Amino acid sequence: MTAVPHVKLAPRALNFEEMVRPRLKQLLEAASSMRVTFITAPAGYGKTVALRQWREVLLAQGERVVWIELDQRDNDPLLLSRMMQKAILGEELPGPRSWRANLDALIDCISFLPGRVWLMLDNYSLDSGDGVDEVISHLIDYGPDCLHIVISGRRRPRIPVAKLRVANQLLELSHEQLRYDPEELVRFLQIQRPVAIDLLDHELITAITRGWPAGLRMTATMLGRYKRTKDALAALAQLPAEFAELFAECLETDLTPQQLTLLARTSMLDELSLPLCRAVAGAAGSEDLFRRLRSGELFADCIDEGGTRFVLHPQFRQYLRTYLDERLNEDGKLRNARASAWFAQNGNWQLAVQHAFSAGNTLQALEWARRCALEEVAKGNLSMVLGWLGQISVGQLMGDGALLAAAGTAYALSLRLDDARSIAGMIENLIAASPSDPAIHELSDYRKSLLIFIAYMSDDGATLLALADEFRNSVSQAWSVLVVGNATIHGHLMGGNIVLARGSLQPLPIEADQPALSFSVVCRTCLLALCDMAENRFDEAEPRLRQAHDLAQRVSGINTAPAVLAASLLAFVRYQRNDPFEAEALLSGHLDLIEQTCFVEGLIACYLTLVRIIVSRGDWKSASQLLERGDALGRKRDWLRLRTVCIAEQIRLNLLQSRVTQARALMTVFRGMVQARPPTDRSPTSFGWRLLRMCEARLLMAENKPHQAAEIFELQMHSFAWDKPAELEAAIEYAVSLVAIGRRGVAMELMTRLLAQSEVGDVIRPFIDCGEEAITLTKTVIAFLQNSDSKRVSPHYLRRLTTALATVKVERPHGYAEPFGASSLTQREREVVSRVQHGMTNKEIASDLKISLETVKWHLKAIFKKLNVRNRTEVVSVSQSGLREIPIAPQPHAH
């Protein structure tokens, strides 16, 4: 009889809580119809955890599940075949036999077992030799249909699987499926470290870890190690020792020295491909390395459909660079020179320039930079171009018009306006010095476009119009004609003159698909969409923005300035039409680039969309932090329109939470900021003044002064006449104030007109976002229209609106009051406190909030610390010594 350690036949205990992941569970359940399942991923991707959870599900269903943890001893096919007999049948079959005979006898016995048999083989790795492969291959070829084989490990078994794929009997899961998606990441951190982590920190954690489960566990540990989240994340970005140790341990067993050296020598590349790696580091070992990259066995992601291009996990890449510096001690200039030559040969001038600078070939980098600098600026790669400029002398820059134009535009978009004006002066001097140069007309167009960009980034509509009038008949290049035309349209838009903005439109050039023109073409389409949006014609704005977004992605790429400009406006449209999921997807991961490159309207659309989505989930703190970030950006750039929108939205959110004192304090700041600049027809101050009046009316409503509020709301309806979305919000809030002063019939008639107007663009969200009273009034009007069989609003639109309103759960109704000392509590902690006040046990709180019992304990521990109390009784006492009891708030709900 073969002695089999018990630990090999059952999963080992884990010293951490396993988070249930419904998405992954659903993927694994698909294996029920498959004969074979491969789960292949590098270390730390939760293969064993996923397998354990799936095993528990199968056992609960009454299935026969056999678990074997593989190691080096199992390379002997004879010993492995006997262990499988014992694991599946409970005993070894009698008689000395070969491993094939053992397996054949086992297969016969399995055929007579009732139900299905699941054979789970965990820890399949490089140590699993040919013997394991032979045994598995035999079981797959000759096993009965009731036998399901699941293999989990760092590499895929070296067995033929083509027939299984053709027969749809093979399920293959890789690190792509095992990694945590953004929603799972947030939930994981809430369970592991129930501390306040804002939206932007979550994005940073996602970027650093790429959803790597082991990386997230180490992140949670680091969050507990530091007092400030920012300090923990800064340390996380610097390759913590725990990461380095894990990579070192894995690579010593998973890679040959030759493969590890090859990876280290190519770690300076942003992406890997076989021809590039051969050019940079030689061909030795590259074929096998790329086979392993394609199979998902290493810390890398495939970025093309053909499986030829890969990017390394950022922490893994950092480890490889450290390995290169510490162990190989090689000068990277030669490899960078090879890379720059390869990229230049293949027409990738951006990376050719980057690696030429790294190789110390400044003159070569300068020559290639001329070819692509303007195009990279148009894509929004400002930091990269500015980095190039930092390595070029003023003398080298002075002699090149194309580089001067790129430098000036990059400086303007980066708000280095004095540097941009200096570049404009240099171009003017070049023009004066060489008036007969054939290229002088193009250089002159560069200067004029640069002056317009400076006006854009100053958010100065009057100057935009003045420059457009001055340059309209003196530019000749297609791109410069577009820039001047866009300035005319944008200037009129900023002044609120939609008719003149539309009247300024001109046909697009035939060469609209060229990279040099794409940004201006996308801007032109976005400006026209802004005209549609200003008139509440979201049904017309959306196809325009999708066209612009598609063009930008096709010509420039998804993570570029023209793409994110179109995405920010399209996201706002999709949100207004009640699709917050697509809206968030359009903006996800692009906030930094949007802030760097978008004009004010794009930023306003981005911030408002994200803030209202975040609020719909009950995360008031993150929403407030995002608005503070927008206000800080507006202050830095002296963009009054952006600042007024962010502060007005902060006031609105405070009033929705009945935080009247905080709203009053913000109103003081708002008044001072707006009154510091006298209003003019084309000044953003007039825009700010209108928002200020709206906030005053909202504050009056919160102070129970509806008569005074109604007067202001009515005036604001007319002052926003050129901006229909703003006018709609003012009108909805005016209708609410009419109900408050007893004019219900007038309010219902007004709301009916608003519904009829909003139906044209299929606008939904304003009727939700204006607050609980607006929702109640909207429901009343819909019921009246449906009962009276009115034809003023279509039944289809009313049904859509009814469905949207039915999913709304008001997070914090008017009248809510915070307990003493609760200002530092998170939204979830407040929900726990409210249930403690109502006498719920920890178990009842866990059930009511749909979180684990352990998570409730974590929250209570944080609450005790923040309120400076020792137990639940003192929580109730301290909270009741405040204003009044916290009502049990409804659960956060994504609309």
Side-chain angles (χ1 to χ4, degrees):
M1 297 289 288
T2 305
V4 181
H6 174 72
V7 71
K8 290 177 63 65
L9 302 182
R12 297 172 185 267
L14 299 174
N15 192 26
F16 54 81
E17 181 180 356
E18 300 176 19
M19 188 183 89
V20 176
R21 300 169 62 190
R23 177 186 61 84
L24 186 56
K25 179 181 175 184
Q26 187 175 3
L27 283 172
L28 289 171
E29 285 175 350
S32 297
S33 60
M34 304 290 178
R35 286 192 57 218
V36 180
T37 300
F38 291 160
I39 304 176
T40 308
Y45 269 93
K47 301 179 293 296
T48 299
V49 171
L51 217 55
R52 279 169 56 93
Q53 292 180 348
W54 190 20
R55 173 178 177 268
E56 295 300 322
V57 170
L58 292 173
L59 289 173
Q61 295 172 352
E63 300 274 12
R64 184 191 299 265
V65 185
V66 177
W67 180 285
I68 297 178
E69 181 176 326
L70 298 171
D71 56 40
Q72 287 180 314
R73 292 171 293 180
D74 302 318
N75 288 336
D76 184 337
L78 182 60
L79 293 177
L80 181 57
S81 65
R82 289 175 179 170
M83 181 168 61
M84 286 183 173
Q85 288 180 348
K86 188 169 185 179
I88 295 174
L89 304 177
E91 60 179 356
E92 291 183 24
L93 298 176
R97 304 181 181 183
S98 67
W99 67 266
R100 285 189 174 83
N102 283 339
L103 287 181
D104 290 339
L106 175 61
I107 289 169
D108 287 340
C109 293
I110 292 174
S111 301
F112 291 100
L113 292 175
R116 297 184 296 187
V117 175
W118 293 84
L119 176 59
M120 292 186 170
L121 302 172
D122 190 31
N123 197 35
Y124 190 96
S125 67
L126 201 66
D127 293 336
S128 304
D130 295 338
V132 178
D133 290 327
E134 288 180 313
V135 169
I136 292 172
S137 182
H138 191 86
L139 281 176
I140 291 174
D141 289 341
Y142 300 103
D145 291 339
C146 65
L147 176 62
H148 295 259
I149 301 173
V150 185
I151 304 166
S152 166
R154 295 185 193 174
R155 75 169 179 86
R156 206 183 66 184
R158 292 165 295 202
I159 57 177
V161 293
K163 292 181 180 179
L164 288 171
R165 286 201 185 102
V166 170
N168 194 28
Q169 288 294 324
L170 174 66
L171 175 66
E172 297 177 276
L173 301 180
S174 70
H175 67 288
E176 292 286 350
Q177 290 78 38
L178 292 175
R179 63 159 46 110
Y180 280 68
D181 64 25
E183 184 177 339
E184 291 172 332
L185 183 146
V186 171
R187 190 156 55 91
F188 172 84
L189 291 177
Q190 286 174 342
I191 293 172
Q192 296 296 320
R193 289 290 169 191
V195 295
I197 302 177
D198 63 29
L199 173 74
L200 302 176
D201 288 339
H202 278 134
E203 286 191 356
L204 180 58
I205 293 171
T206 301
I208 293 174
T209 65
R210 297 274 182 90
W212 181 33
L216 288 176
R217 295 200 180 282
M218 287 184 270
T219 299
T221 301
M222 296 191 72
L223 288 172
R225 191 181 298 166
Y226 290 84
K227 291 182 178 180
R228 296 196 316 160
T229 301
K230 301 296 182 186
D231 294 336
L233 296 184
L236 181 66
Q238 297 302 315
L239 187 64
E242 294 90 340
F243 282 66
E245 288 171 4
L246 178 58
F247 288 135
E249 181 182 326
C250 296
L251 296 181
E252 286 178 4
T253 57
D254 289 0
L255 287 176
T256 65
Q258 187 181 45
Q259 290 172 338
L260 180 54
T261 300
L262 178 61
L263 270 179
R265 284 174 175 164
T266 54
S267 60
M268 24 73 78
L269 300 170
D270 291 334
E271 65 178 59
L272 304 180
S273 68
L274 186 56
L276 175 58
C277 288
R278 284 174 170 170
V280 170
S286 56
E287 285 282 0
D288 187 54
L289 178 63
F290 272 81
R291 180 194 63 76
R292 300 196 60 195
L293 287 170
R294 279 189 289 271
S295 66
E297 299 172 18
L298 299 175
F299 296 91
D301 295 319
C302 181
I303 57 174
D304 68 341
E305 294 183 0
T308 60
R309 296 163 53 222
F310 300 87
V311 292
L312 298 177
H313 188 286
Q315 295 282 18
F316 181 49
R317 186 180 176 192
Q318 196 169 344
Y319 169 78
L320 289 171
R321 289 175 172 178
T322 303
Y323 179 91
L324 185 68
D325 293 338
E326 292 180 353
R327 302 192 188 183
L328 300 183
N329 192 26
E330 293 181 351
D331 184 358
K333 288 187 176 181
L334 177 59
R335 285 179 283 107
N336 274 295
R338 291 171 179 169
S340 66
W342 189 89
F343 283 120
Q345 185 179 1
N346 287 273
N348 191 329
W349 303 112
Q350 171 202 334
L351 291 176
V353 173
Q354 176 182 320
H355 287 284
F357 275 126
S358 298
N361 298 335
T362 304
L363 293 178
Q364 183 67 80
L366 187 63
E367 178 185 341
W368 288 336
R370 293 189 185 101
R371 301 171 180 257
C372 65
L374 265 175
E375 184 178 331
E376 294 306 323
V377 170
K379 290 179 180 179
N381 294 328
L382 304 182
S383 58
M384 181 184 70
V385 174
L386 292 175
W388 296 352
L389 294 173
Q391 302 176 71
I392 299 173
S393 69
V394 175
Q396 291 170 326
L397 189 61
M398 272 292 295
D400 194 290
L403 276 179
L404 278 173
T409 308
Y411 287 141
L413 292 175
S414 303
L415 269 294
R416 293 171 57 175
L417 299 185
D418 289 338
D419 289 332
R421 293 187 185 98
S422 176
I423 294 292
M426 290 182 188
I427 295 176
E428 191 171 12
N429 292 336
L430 281 177
I431 294 171
S434 308
S436 59
D437 191 326
I440 208 66
H441 294 296
E442 185 171 3
L443 199 55
S444 176
D445 281 6
Y446 279 141
R447 174 182 168 274
K448 293 168 184 176
S449 298
L450 177 55
L451 293 175
I452 286 175
F453 284 136
I454 293 171
Y456 265 121
M457 300 314 290
S458 302
D459 197 34
D460 186 348
T463 301
L464 270 179
L465 281 174
L467 290 173
D469 290 340
E470 179 184 349
F471 299 151
R472 183 171 293 110
N473 298 319
S474 63
V475 292
S476 57
Q477 305 296 318
W479 52 268
S480 56
V481 172
L482 274 171
V483 169
V484 172
N486 289 350
T488 304
I489 300 167
H490 205 163
H492 287 310
L493 268 173
M494 291 172 66
N497 199 325
I498 307 301
V499 175
L500 282 179
R502 286 192 185 278
S504 305
L505 290 173
Q506 298 173 352
L508 291 174
I510 297 174
E511 309 90 341
D513 267 12
Q514 292 183 1
L517 295 173
S518 63
F519 197 177
S520 295
V521 171
V522 168
C523 285
R524 172 69 56 87
T525 309
C526 288
L527 290 170
L528 183 56
L530 280 169
C531 293
D532 297 329
M533 293 159 66
E535 297 173 332
N536 249 15
R537 303 289 307 194
F538 289 90
D539 56 327
E540 296 181 13
E542 182 172 334
R544 294 189 201 278
L545 292 170
R546 290 200 184 279
Q547 178 187 11
H549 194 233
D550 291 344
L551 171 64
Q553 290 188 89
R554 185 174 70 253
V555 178
S556 302
I558 188 169
N559 196 34
T560 59
V564 297
L565 170 61
S568 63
L569 298 176
L570 181 57
F572 182 79
V573 169
R574 290 310 303 158
Y575 178 77
Q576 293 295 97
R577 304 182 84 179
N578 202 39
D579 188 354
F581 303 107
E582 184 184 1
E584 186 175 23
L586 284 163
L587 299 174
S588 179
H590 298 311
L591 182 57
D592 286 341
L593 184 57
I594 291 171
E595 290 177 337
Q596 288 175 18
T597 60
C598 279
F599 47 66
V600 174
E601 288 82 0
L603 280 166
I604 290 173
C606 173
Y607 282 122
L608 285 181
T609 302
L610 282 176
V611 163
R612 296 192 177 187
I613 290 172
I614 293 168
V615 166
S616 73
R617 295 172 180 162
D619 190 355
W620 299 85
K621 181 176 181 180
S622 290
S624 179
Q625 289 173 335
L626 189 56
L627 289 170
E628 289 170 3
R629 172 171 170 166
D631 181 41
L633 181 65
R635 189 184 306 112
K636 174 184 175 183
R637 298 185 175 182
D638 197 25
W639 284 359
L640 187 60
R641 283 196 296 162
L642 178 59
R643 291 200 66 194
T644 54
V645 167
C646 289
I647 292 180
E649 190 70 2
Q650 286 190 72
I651 292 170
R652 190 183 76 86
L653 296 188
N654 274 290
L655 291 175
L656 285 175
Q657 300 171 80
S658 294
R659 296 161 56 95
V660 179
T661 302
Q662 290 87 338
R664 287 198 190 103
L666 285 169
M667 283 295 297
T668 302
V669 175
F670 199 173
R671 285 194 189 95
M673 184 173 64
V674 173
Q675 291 172 350
R677 302 183 185 184
T680 59
D681 289 341
R682 287 177 178 173
S683 167
T685 311
S686 57
F687 177 87
W689 185 262
R690 288 191 289 268
L691 281 180
L692 176 62
R693 295 291 286 160
M694 280 290 290
C695 291
E696 289 174 341
R698 288 166 176 158
L699 183 57
L700 287 168
M701 285 292 292
E703 294 171 339
N704 199 26
K705 299 175 183 177
H707 285 86
Q708 295 169 263
E711 292 177 6
I712 298 177
F713 281 135
E714 184 177 16
L715 289 173
Q716 294 310 106
M717 284 172 54
H718 303 295
S719 69
F720 278 120
W722 60 271
D723 184 357
K724 295 300 181 183
E727 180 189 31
L728 176 60
E729 286 200 2
I732 293 172
E733 297 194 55
Y734 176 46
V736 171
S737 68
L738 288 174
V739 173
I741 62 177
R743 301 179 63 187
R744 189 176 187 82
V746 179
M748 291 187 65
E749 172 58 27
L750 172 59
M751 191 65 84
T752 302
R753 291 204 310 271
L754 296 178
L755 290 174
Q757 294 167 9
S758 301
E759 179 187 351
V760 177
D762 195 28
V763 179
I764 300 288
R765 289 303 307 191
F767 297 97
I768 297 171
D769 292 340
C770 284
E772 184 183 8
E773 290 84 356
I775 293 171
T776 301
L777 178 57
T778 305
K779 288 180 177 179
T780 302
V781 173
I782 291 174
F784 172 77
L785 292 173
Q786 291 174 332
N787 293 335
S788 62
D789 199 25
S790 171
K791 305 298 182 184
R792 297 177 64 181
V793 185
S794 74
H796 173 72
Y797 178 68
L798 291 180
R799 283 194 298 271
R800 270 185 44 75
L801 194 53
T802 300
T803 301
L805 293 171
T807 63
V808 176
K809 292 187 177 181
V810 181
E811 280 297 325
R812 195 176 296 174
H814 288 289
Y816 169 89
E818 290 183 341
F820 173 79
S823 59
S824 63
L825 297 183
T826 66
Q827 172 70 14
R828 179 64 87 187
E829 287 166 356
R830 290 188 180 98
E831 292 168 348
V832 172
V833 169
S834 71
R835 285 152 179 80
V836 170
Q837 286 181 322
H838 286 77
M840 289 188 180
T841 65
N842 287 0
K843 188 174 182 180
E844 289 170 337
I845 293 173
S847 176
D848 192 43
L849 293 178
K850 296 180 174 58
I851 58 179
S852 72
L853 184 60
E854 193 63 28
T855 303
V856 173
K857 294 177 182 177
W858 270 107
H859 284 312
L860 284 172
K861 183 178 179 181
I863 291 165
F864 293 167
K865 183 176 180 181
K866 290 180 180 180
L867 297 185
N868 194 24
V869 298
R870 293 170 296 178
N871 51 47
R872 293 165 59 99
T873 303
E874 290 184 5
V875 169
V876 175
S877 175
V878 168
S879 59
Q880 288 180 345
S881 70
L883 297 175
R884 60 190 173 92
E885 182 181 68
I886 306 176
I888 291 185
Q891 282 293 288
H893 189 88
H895 305 318

